[in-house]
Amino acid sequence: MRLSEFLRAAQSAAGKRQVKRMTHRDTADLMRVSHRTYVEYVRGVNNPKGMSALLHLLAQLHQDDLLDLLNRWRRRHAKECEAENIKNR
């Protein structure tokens, strides 16, 4: 699966969890990249090697290890967002 196909599938899966359909701009914001950069990723014009390398590494993990890793990332991200919100008050 190409990175552009993976990103489309991920956007679709994430959109199913939302009340409204996720746009490219919504997905770009979640990824913390510009809308233009995300569109280039999806179109296959730009293929970031770091993202591809990370996906290759994650694909080698056992499903349980991958879920544990993603849950730890999610918790850390939530703490960082909370700290940023407190700082901006």
Side-chain angles (χ1 to χ4, degrees):
M1 174 183 269
R2 290 178 172 176
L3 179 60
S4 59
E5 294 166 337
F6 180 86
L7 289 171
R8 281 189 210 108
Q11 179 181 353
S12 176
K16 289 177 183 174
R17 299 178 62 92
Q18 304 291 325
V19 173
K20 64 178 182 122
R21 185 174 162 259
M22 284 187 69
T23 65
H24 283 0
R25 190 168 306 280
D26 295 332
T27 307
D29 289 345
L30 284 173
M31 293 177 63
R32 297 181 180 177
V33 298
S34 72
H35 176 248
R36 179 180 176 169
T37 298
Y38 178 73
V39 170
E40 289 177 354
Y41 291 168
V42 171
R43 290 179 48 221
V45 173
N46 188 346
N47 189 3
K49 292 182 189 233
M51 190 182 306
S52 294
L54 177 60
L55 290 172
H56 286 293
L57 174 64
L58 293 175
Q60 303 305 310
L61 297 178
H62 184 273
Q63 183 176 353
D64 292 339
D65 296 331
L66 179 59
L67 288 174
D68 178 58
L69 183 64
L70 289 173
N71 283 327
R72 285 190 283 156
W73 175 268
R74 192 175 286 140
R75 284 190 300 271
R76 179 177 175 196
H77 177 70
K79 286 180 184 177
E80 289 172 357
C81 288
E82 184 179 322
E84 188 173 316
N85 287 339
I86 291 170
K87 179 180 149 187
N88 291 331
R89 287 184 189 171

